[in-house]
Amino acid sequence: MSAILEIADVSRSFGGVQAVQKVSVDIPRGEIMSIIGPNGAGKTTVLNMISGFYHPDHGRILLEGTDITHLAPSEIAKLRVARTFQNIALFSGMTVLDNLMLGRHVLMKSGVLSSFIYWGLAQREEVAHRKRVEDLIDFLKIQDLRRRPTGSLAYGLRKRVELGRALALDPKILLLDEPMGGMNQEEKEDMARFILDVNEEWGTTIILIEHDMGVVMDISDRVAVLDMGLKIAEGKPDEVRVNPAVVKAYLGETKTSEVRHG
Amino acid sequence: MLEALDLQFTILLLSNGVMIGLMYSLIALGFVLVYKATDAVNFAQGEFVMIAGFVAVGALTVAGIPLWLSILAALVAMVGFGFALERVMLRKLIGRPIIAVVMATIGLAAILRGLGPFGIFQGTRPLPLPLRDEPFILGPLFIPPIQLLGGIVSLVFLAGFGYFFLKSRKGVAMRAVADNQQVAMAMGIDVERYFGLAWAMTGVVSALGGVLWGNMLGVDVNLALVGFKVFPVVILGGLDSIPGAIIGGLIVGLVENLAAGYIDPYVGGGTKDFAPYVLMILALMIRPYGIFGKRIIERV
């Protein structure tokens, strides 16, 4: 098993709170890896450390053997690690097409000056990128939304466009932060289908953060479980599902939330 | 006969208002570019124009450089100034409350006004451009050459920047930065570079404004007062809208000229300077996000 991404002994605290403690996870190339856990388990913190929004206090993150622990988000994006956000983060004033084209930003080479000098080259480049974006539009079945401002789209469709924008980067690794959050059952199944298709068609490694175990267990090759900042289990979905520590974490959460609300 | 004169007078006021208004739009564009890309409110826009005027006049008269080179010097200096300002001062304020940037630019404005003359200039210096003295006469219109030039230059640059934001890849990326910095970063967009670019573009606009307004008003510290016209323009048009800057500029230009023509004779003058502000306050009460602005005026 060759790991495309190694998270090695990573810790991060905010103020006095240990959000993530000594977490190590190897992400195998070409697999769908889910990181699950109750609220406040540190899942999003891990994701934010991979994409460079936070830097770990301790530990290292290696992408194909290269240390990316302290790179800025834009530098990590340039290494073809794409992500979506928990709360949809499309550029709402822009069209679906503009959003997807922005997803290809790091792949576009010609700058302002050179695009004036080599007009033809820039045009040709633009056409090639547009072609790829059109393929994604077909893939996600959003052909009739091209020119629509994203702010006007329904929730499920916006999630789909955001997935498309991340895919436009031609990512080696796709980070999805609760891609099914707030969706109804049908939308969840659609999204699960797209995730599986992406993985199958382009061999993209996918790291998925989810709150509830449901659909995730069906589509993941491997699952890591976090609780209170610690990794409490890792393995194939069937192994993790019956792991006593995992069961306890999820049941425990129910109890504490009952206490909190009561 | 009297009516014909009246009509002629009104037309004169209107054409004057349009040309002057477009020149306000140009300066307001500097303000809008920075706000659009970086969410920063630049209270030193007028001082940028003043500094550009000083550079151009300084190059022309003190250093004795030809006019076109002096204008180029002002452009280069202001672009450099924009870049440097972003790097040295404003980058440190990223992510801080908006009031920090506001106060910083107000402080900067005071410093620039104080340092601007730098002991080189006493009094007001003219900034002559090779233009004829007689106005262009087109039917009932009398247009002073500098106003025609100002109007045309403004339109060209407003259209150019409009196209840049709408169509060019860099422009779209800059809009993305303005919309959400975090997400722009995740797209691999180098946010700080675009901040620098926005301030540099403001430098370009300020340099042009400095030369045009410097020619009309003469170059001294009072040139910075042009900046005060920017606020009604951007409030009327919307802080983040390029078409808004054009419309707002035209409204302010027309209102102050009509006020000067029709109200000043009765009250002894001076209405020109505050009439746009009356309109601005009314606009704030009715449409706080401007005619074309985004409805969300402030993000918390």
Side-chain angles (χ1 to χ4, degrees), chain B residues 117-252:
Chain B
F118 226 80
I120 302 172
F121 306 108
Q122 298 298 320
T124 308
R125 291 292 181 109
L127 178 52
L129 296 174
L131 297 166
R132 60 181 221 172
D133 289 330
E134 316 83 56
F136 293 101
I137 302 170
L138 296 154
L141 298 178
F142 278 68
I143 304 177
I146 178 63
Q147 287 189 17
L148 189 65
L149 178 69
I152 291 171
V153 168
S154 302
L155 272 181
V156 166
F157 276 83
L158 287 160
F161 280 111
Y163 180 85
F164 171 78
F165 273 107
L166 219 54
K167 295 287 176 198
S168 87
R169 215 169 59 227
K170 296 263 182 234
V172 174
M174 196 178 258
R175 271 160 68 208
V177 169
D179 192 319
N180 191 330
Q181 290 169 23
Q182 293 239 311
V183 180
M185 281 181 215
M187 304 286 98
I189 296 171
D190 197 338
V191 168
E192 286 171 344
R193 245 185 69 205
Y194 280 89
F195 281 8
L197 186 59
W199 282 98
M201 290 189 334
T202 289
V204 170
V205 170
S206 304
L208 295 168
V211 171
L212 293 169
W213 282 99
N215 175 269
M216 286 218 308
L217 306 174
V219 177
D220 59 18
V221 174
N222 291 327
L223 190 53
L225 295 178
V226 175
F228 278 115
K229 301 292 165 127
V230 164
F231 302 115
V233 171
V234 294
I235 292 297
L236 287 166
L239 291 170
D240 55 5
S241 164
I242 291 176
I246 301 176
I247 302 292
L250 289 175
I251 293 173
V252 169

Side-chain angles (χ1 to χ4, degrees), chain B residues 89-90 93 99-109:
Chain B
M89 185 173 108
L90 294 146
L93 299 176
I99 191 77
V101 181
V102 169
M103 288 299 155
T105 58
I106 289 176
L108 177 73

Side-chain angles (χ1 to χ4, degrees), chain A residues 53 73-74 77-78 89 91-92 94 102 105-106 108 110 112 126 165, chain B residues 169-170 172-173 175-176 179-180 182-189 194:
Chain A
F53 282 99
S74 59
K78 280 170 196 147
F91 302 115
S92 54
M94 296 184 206
L102 270 168
H105 182 85
V106 301
M108 299 188 181
S110 44
V112 174
E126 190 89 9
R165 189 180 59 185
Chain B
R169 215 169 59 227
K170 296 263 182 234
V172 174
R175 271 160 68 208
D179 192 319
N180 191 330
Q182 293 239 311
V183 180
M185 281 181 215
M187 304 286 98
I189 296 171
Y194 280 89

